[in-house]
PDB file of all heavy atoms in Angstrom:
ATOM      1  N   MET A   1     -32.803 -16.480  98.006  1.00  0.00           N
ATOM      2  CA  MET A   1     -31.834 -16.526  96.899  1.00  0.00           C
ATOM      3  C   MET A   1     -31.046 -17.795  96.800  1.00  0.00           C
ATOM      4  O   MET A   1     -31.193 -18.505  95.770  1.00  0.00           O
ATOM      5  CB  MET A   1     -30.927 -15.380  97.065  1.00  0.00           C
ATOM      6  CG  MET A   1     -29.734 -15.236  96.233  1.00  0.00           C
ATOM      7  SD  MET A   1     -30.183 -14.973  94.524  1.00  0.00           S
ATOM      8  CE  MET A   1     -29.173 -16.082  93.795  1.00  0.00           C
ATOM      9  N   ARG A   2     -30.360 -18.206  97.827  1.00  0.00           N
ATOM     10  CA  ARG A   2     -29.691 -19.454  97.779  1.00  0.00           C
ATOM     11  C   ARG A   2     -30.687 -20.651  97.719  1.00  0.00           C
ATOM     12  O   ARG A   2     -30.373 -21.595  97.008  1.00  0.00           O
ATOM     13  CB  ARG A   2     -28.777 -19.632  99.056  1.00  0.00           C
ATOM     14  CG  ARG A   2     -27.477 -18.941  98.943  1.00  0.00           C
ATOM     15  CD  ARG A   2     -26.559 -19.306 100.032  1.00  0.00           C
ATOM     16  NE  ARG A   2     -25.382 -18.475  99.889  1.00  0.00           N
ATOM     17  CZ  ARG A   2     -24.380 -18.654  98.999  1.00  0.00           C
ATOM     18  NH1 ARG A   2     -24.450 -19.755  98.283  1.00  0.00           N
ATOM     19  NH2 ARG A   2     -23.381 -17.784  98.993  1.00  0.00           N
ATOM     20  N   ARG A   4     -33.401 -20.593  96.096  1.00  0.00           N
ATOM     21  CA  ARG A   4     -33.918 -20.676  94.738  1.00  0.00           C
ATOM     22  C   ARG A   4     -32.792 -21.399  93.835  1.00  0.00           C
ATOM     23  O   ARG A   4     -33.110 -22.199  92.953  1.00  0.00           O
ATOM     24  CB  ARG A   4     -34.183 -19.386  94.172  1.00  0.00           C
ATOM     25  CG  ARG A   4     -35.542 -18.878  94.618  1.00  0.00           C
ATOM     26  CD  ARG A   4     -35.902 -17.423  94.065  1.00  0.00           C
ATOM     27  NE  ARG A   4     -35.523 -17.340  92.689  1.00  0.00           N
ATOM     28  CZ  ARG A   4     -36.542 -17.445  91.830  1.00  0.00           C
ATOM     29  NH1 ARG A   4     -37.762 -17.808  92.080  1.00  0.00           N
ATOM     30  NH2 ARG A   4     -36.350 -17.254  90.578  1.00  0.00           N
ATOM     31  N   THR A  19     -41.716 -19.241  94.526  1.00  0.00           N
ATOM     32  CA  THR A  19     -40.881 -18.167  95.131  1.00  0.00           C
ATOM     33  C   THR A  19     -40.835 -16.972  94.153  1.00  0.00           C
ATOM     34  O   THR A  19     -40.080 -16.043  94.459  1.00  0.00           O
ATOM     35  CB  THR A  19     -39.480 -18.646  95.537  1.00  0.00           C
ATOM     36  OG1 THR A  19     -38.870 -19.163  94.365  1.00  0.00           O
ATOM     37  CG2 THR A  19     -39.536 -19.672  96.606  1.00  0.00           C
ATOM     38  N   ASP A  61     -38.990  -4.073 103.077  1.00  0.00           N
ATOM     39  CA  ASP A  61     -39.674  -5.221 102.459  1.00  0.00           C
ATOM     40  C   ASP A  61     -39.131  -5.511 100.998  1.00  0.00           C
ATOM     41  O   ASP A  61     -39.711  -6.233 100.231  1.00  0.00           O
ATOM     42  CB  ASP A  61     -41.202  -5.022 102.376  1.00  0.00           C
ATOM     43  CG  ASP A  61     -41.629  -3.846 101.671  1.00  0.00           C
ATOM     44  OD1 ASP A  61     -40.706  -2.977 101.344  1.00  0.00           O
ATOM     45  OD2 ASP A  61     -42.823  -3.601 101.326  1.00  0.00           O
ATOM     46  N   HIS A  62     -37.963  -4.783 100.737  1.00  0.00           N
ATOM     47  CA  HIS A  62     -37.305  -5.046  99.404  1.00  0.00           C
ATOM     48  C   HIS A  62     -35.869  -5.432  99.712  1.00  0.00           C
ATOM     49  O   HIS A  62     -35.274  -4.961 100.645  1.00  0.00           O
ATOM     50  CB  HIS A  62     -37.346  -3.903  98.525  1.00  0.00           C
ATOM     51  CG  HIS A  62     -38.673  -3.524  97.942  1.00  0.00           C
ATOM     52  ND1 HIS A  62     -39.724  -3.106  98.553  1.00  0.00           N
ATOM     53  CD2 HIS A  62     -39.034  -3.703  96.612  1.00  0.00           C
ATOM     54  CE1 HIS A  62     -40.774  -3.063  97.754  1.00  0.00           C
ATOM     55  NE2 HIS A  62     -40.378  -3.334  96.558  1.00  0.00           N
ATOM     56  N   ALA A  63     -35.368  -6.209  98.862  1.00  0.00           N
ATOM     57  CA  ALA A  63     -33.835  -6.513  98.977  1.00  0.00           C
ATOM     58  C   ALA A  63     -33.315  -6.760  97.507  1.00  0.00           C
ATOM     59  O   ALA A  63     -34.066  -7.100  96.592  1.00  0.00           O
ATOM     60  CB  ALA A  63     -33.607  -7.845  99.773  1.00  0.00           C
ATOM     61  N   GLN A  64     -32.032  -6.430  97.454  1.00  0.00           N
ATOM     62  CA  GLN A  64     -31.385  -6.643  96.096  1.00  0.00           C
ATOM     63  C   GLN A  64     -30.162  -7.467  96.305  1.00  0.00           C
ATOM     64  O   GLN A  64     -29.458  -7.401  97.296  1.00  0.00           O
ATOM     65  CB  GLN A  64     -30.976  -5.199  95.567  1.00  0.00           C
ATOM     66  CG  GLN A  64     -30.676  -5.289  94.058  1.00  0.00           C
ATOM     67  CD  GLN A  64     -30.523  -3.913  93.466  1.00  0.00           C
ATOM     68  OE1 GLN A  64     -29.683  -3.214  93.932  1.00  0.00           O
ATOM     69  NE2 GLN A  64     -31.263  -3.669  92.437  1.00  0.00           N
ATOM     70  N   VAL A  65     -29.972  -8.455  95.395  1.00  0.00           N
ATOM     71  CA  VAL A  65     -28.940  -9.376  95.442  1.00  0.00           C
ATOM     72  C   VAL A  65     -28.246  -9.390  94.063  1.00  0.00           C
ATOM     73  O   VAL A  65     -28.933  -9.465  93.013  1.00  0.00           O
ATOM     74  CB  VAL A  65     -29.372 -10.832  95.813  1.00  0.00           C
ATOM     75  CG1 VAL A  65     -28.240 -11.749  95.724  1.00  0.00           C
ATOM     76  CG2 VAL A  65     -30.034 -10.836  97.217  1.00  0.00           C
ATOM     77  N   PHE A  67     -25.482 -11.454  91.823  1.00  0.00           N
ATOM     78  CA  PHE A  67     -24.846 -12.723  91.767  1.00  0.00           C
ATOM     79  C   PHE A  67     -24.343 -13.193  90.438  1.00  0.00           C
ATOM     80  O   PHE A  67     -24.862 -12.607  89.453  1.00  0.00           O
ATOM     81  CB  PHE A  67     -25.717 -13.913  92.346  1.00  0.00           C
ATOM     82  CG  PHE A  67     -26.893 -14.183  91.454  1.00  0.00           C
ATOM     83  CD1 PHE A  67     -26.856 -15.154  90.452  1.00  0.00           C
ATOM     84  CD2 PHE A  67     -28.127 -13.383  91.452  1.00  0.00           C
ATOM     85  CE1 PHE A  67     -27.902 -15.456  89.633  1.00  0.00           C
ATOM     86  CE2 PHE A  67     -29.128 -13.687  90.636  1.00  0.00           C
ATOM     87  CZ  PHE A  67     -29.100 -14.731  89.738  1.00  0.00           C
ATOM     88  N   SER A  84     -30.861  -9.065  91.185  1.00  0.00           N
ATOM     89  CA  SER A  84     -32.209  -9.475  91.378  1.00  0.00           C
ATOM     90  C   SER A  84     -32.877  -8.609  92.398  1.00  0.00           C
ATOM     91  O   SER A  84     -32.269  -8.372  93.448  1.00  0.00           O
ATOM     92  CB  SER A  84     -32.224 -10.921  91.854  1.00  0.00           C
ATOM     93  OG  SER A  84     -31.600 -11.831  90.960  1.00  0.00           O
ATOM     94  N   ASN A  85     -34.155  -8.475  92.267  1.00  0.00           N
ATOM     95  CA  ASN A  85     -34.968  -7.759  93.300  1.00  0.00           C
ATOM     96  C   ASN A  85     -35.890  -8.737  93.848  1.00  0.00           C
ATOM     97  O   ASN A  85     -36.541  -9.470  93.223  1.00  0.00           O
ATOM     98  CB  ASN A  85     -35.763  -6.624  92.572  1.00  0.00           C
ATOM     99  CG  ASN A  85     -34.882  -5.536  92.100  1.00  0.00           C
ATOM    100  OD1 ASN A  85     -34.095  -4.958  92.893  1.00  0.00           O
ATOM    101  ND2 ASN A  85     -34.937  -5.290  90.822  1.00  0.00           N
ATOM    102  N   PHE A  86     -35.931  -8.691  95.267  1.00  0.00           N
ATOM    103  CA  PHE A  86     -36.849  -9.563  96.065  1.00  0.00           C
ATOM    104  C   PHE A  86     -37.794  -8.702  96.827  1.00  0.00           C
ATOM    105  O   PHE A  86     -37.391  -7.580  97.274  1.00  0.00           O
ATOM    106  CB  PHE A  86     -35.996 -10.437  96.985  1.00  0.00           C
ATOM    107  CG  PHE A  86     -35.157 -11.513  96.311  1.00  0.00           C
ATOM    108  CD1 PHE A  86     -33.954 -11.244  95.656  1.00  0.00           C
ATOM    109  CD2 PHE A  86     -35.589 -12.828  96.289  1.00  0.00           C
ATOM    110  CE1 PHE A  86     -33.234 -12.198  95.006  1.00  0.00           C
ATOM    111  CE2 PHE A  86     -34.934 -13.783  95.623  1.00  0.00           C
ATOM    112  CZ  PHE A  86     -33.730 -13.434  94.901  1.00  0.00           C
ATOM    113  N   VAL A  87     -38.874  -9.159  97.062  1.00  0.00           N
ATOM    114  CA  VAL A  87     -39.978  -8.507  97.862  1.00  0.00           C
ATOM    115  C   VAL A  87     -40.478  -9.543  98.893  1.00  0.00           C
ATOM    116  O   VAL A  87     -40.482 -10.719  98.640  1.00  0.00           O
ATOM    117  CB  VAL A  87     -41.073  -7.954  97.086  1.00  0.00           C
ATOM    118  CG1 VAL A  87     -40.654  -6.691  96.211  1.00  0.00           C
ATOM    119  CG2 VAL A  87     -41.692  -8.977  96.211  1.00  0.00           C
ATOM    120  N   ILE A  88     -40.922  -8.924  99.934  1.00  0.00           N
ATOM    121  CA  ILE A  88     -41.691  -9.863 100.979  1.00  0.00           C
ATOM    122  C   ILE A  88     -43.121  -9.900 100.566  1.00  0.00           C
ATOM    123  O   ILE A  88     -43.783  -8.810 100.418  1.00  0.00           O
ATOM    124  CB  ILE A  88     -41.514  -9.327 102.434  1.00  0.00           C
ATOM    125  CG1 ILE A  88     -40.124  -9.574 102.838  1.00  0.00           C
ATOM    126  CG2 ILE A  88     -42.461 -10.073 103.360  1.00  0.00           C
ATOM    127  CD1 ILE A  88     -39.787  -9.278 104.345  1.00  0.00           C
ATOM    128  N   TRP A  93     -39.685 -14.111 101.327  1.00  0.00           N
ATOM    129  CA  TRP A  93     -38.976 -13.421 100.296  1.00  0.00           C
ATOM    130  C   TRP A  93     -39.296 -14.074  98.933  1.00  0.00           C
ATOM    131  O   TRP A  93     -39.126 -15.277  98.903  1.00  0.00           O
ATOM    132  CB  TRP A  93     -37.455 -13.434 100.562  1.00  0.00           C
ATOM    133  CG  TRP A  93     -36.980 -12.471 101.605  1.00  0.00           C
ATOM    134  CD1 TRP A  93     -36.660 -12.819 102.883  1.00  0.00           C
ATOM    135  CD2 TRP A  93     -36.915 -11.124 101.489  1.00  0.00           C
ATOM    136  NE1 TRP A  93     -36.302 -11.694 103.632  1.00  0.00           N
ATOM    137  CE2 TRP A  93     -36.493 -10.634 102.759  1.00  0.00           C
ATOM    138  CE3 TRP A  93     -37.140 -10.216 100.495  1.00  0.00           C
ATOM    139  CZ2 TRP A  93     -36.294  -9.292 103.038  1.00  0.00           C
ATOM    140  CZ3 TRP A  93     -37.001  -8.848 100.737  1.00  0.00           C
ATOM    141  CH2 TRP A  93     -36.476  -8.363 101.992  1.00  0.00           C
ATOM    142  N   ARG A  94     -39.589 -13.320  98.035  1.00  0.00           N
ATOM    143  CA  ARG A  94     -39.960 -13.784  96.645  1.00  0.00           C
ATOM    144  C   ARG A  94     -39.244 -12.945  95.639  1.00  0.00           C
ATOM    145  O   ARG A  94     -38.932 -11.755  95.777  1.00  0.00           O
ATOM    146  CB  ARG A  94     -41.381 -13.637  96.414  1.00  0.00           C
ATOM    147  CG  ARG A  94     -42.138 -14.644  97.291  1.00  0.00           C
ATOM    148  CD  ARG A  94     -43.662 -14.233  97.190  1.00  0.00           C
ATOM    149  NE  ARG A  94     -44.333 -15.014  98.150  1.00  0.00           N
ATOM    150  CZ  ARG A  94     -45.048 -16.105  97.958  1.00  0.00           C
ATOM    151  NH1 ARG A  94     -45.012 -16.642  96.823  1.00  0.00           N
ATOM    152  NH2 ARG A  94     -45.725 -16.758  98.934  1.00  0.00           N
ATOM    153  N   TYR A  95     -38.842 -13.617  94.569  1.00  0.00           N
ATOM    154  CA  TYR A  95     -38.151 -12.995  93.470  1.00  0.00           C
ATOM    155  C   TYR A  95     -39.062 -12.113  92.643  1.00  0.00           C
ATOM    156  O   TYR A  95     -40.059 -12.687  92.150  1.00  0.00           O
ATOM    157  CB  TYR A  95     -37.612 -14.136  92.612  1.00  0.00           C
ATOM    158  CG  TYR A  95     -36.785 -13.688  91.287  1.00  0.00           C
ATOM    159  CD1 TYR A  95     -35.427 -13.413  91.478  1.00  0.00           C
ATOM    160  CD2 TYR A  95     -37.480 -13.543  90.107  1.00  0.00           C
ATOM    161  CE1 TYR A  95     -34.791 -12.995  90.350  1.00  0.00           C
ATOM    162  CE2 TYR A  95     -36.716 -13.210  89.038  1.00  0.00           C
ATOM    163  CZ  TYR A  95     -35.382 -12.886  89.106  1.00  0.00           C
ATOM    164  OH  TYR A  95     -34.693 -12.495  88.015  1.00  0.00           O
ATOM    165  N   LEU A  96     -38.730 -10.932  92.477  1.00  0.00           N
ATOM    166  CA  LEU A  96     -39.631 -10.053  91.746  1.00  0.00           C
ATOM    167  C   LEU A  96     -39.142  -9.871  90.298  1.00  0.00           C
ATOM    168  O   LEU A  96     -39.908 -10.157  89.317  1.00  0.00           O
ATOM    169  CB  LEU A  96     -39.607  -8.673  92.333  1.00  0.00           C
ATOM    170  CG  LEU A  96     -40.465  -7.629  91.658  1.00  0.00           C
ATOM    171  CD1 LEU A  96     -41.913  -7.962  91.745  1.00  0.00           C
ATOM    172  CD2 LEU A  96     -40.239  -6.164  92.354  1.00  0.00           C
ATOM    173  N   ASP A  97     -37.978  -9.435  90.050  1.00  0.00           N
ATOM    174  CA  ASP A  97     -37.411  -9.399  88.743  1.00  0.00           C
ATOM    175  C   ASP A  97     -35.904  -9.211  88.843  1.00  0.00           C
ATOM    176  O   ASP A  97     -35.344  -9.105  89.971  1.00  0.00           O
ATOM    177  CB  ASP A  97     -38.041  -8.192  87.943  1.00  0.00           C
ATOM    178  CG  ASP A  97     -37.840  -6.883  88.630  1.00  0.00           C
ATOM    179  OD1 ASP A  97     -36.938  -6.764  89.560  1.00  0.00           O
ATOM    180  OD2 ASP A  97     -38.631  -6.024  88.383  1.00  0.00           O
TER     181      ASP A  97
END
Side-chain angles (χ1 to χ4, degrees):
M1 168 66 225
R2 279 191 186 278
R4 279 174 57 87
T19 57
D61 58 351
H62 283 71
Q64 198 171 54
V65 176
F67 66 94
S84 304
N85 294 303
F86 289 80
V87 288
I88 289 185
W93 285 105
R94 292 164 190 268
Y95 179 87
L96 181 62
D97 55 22

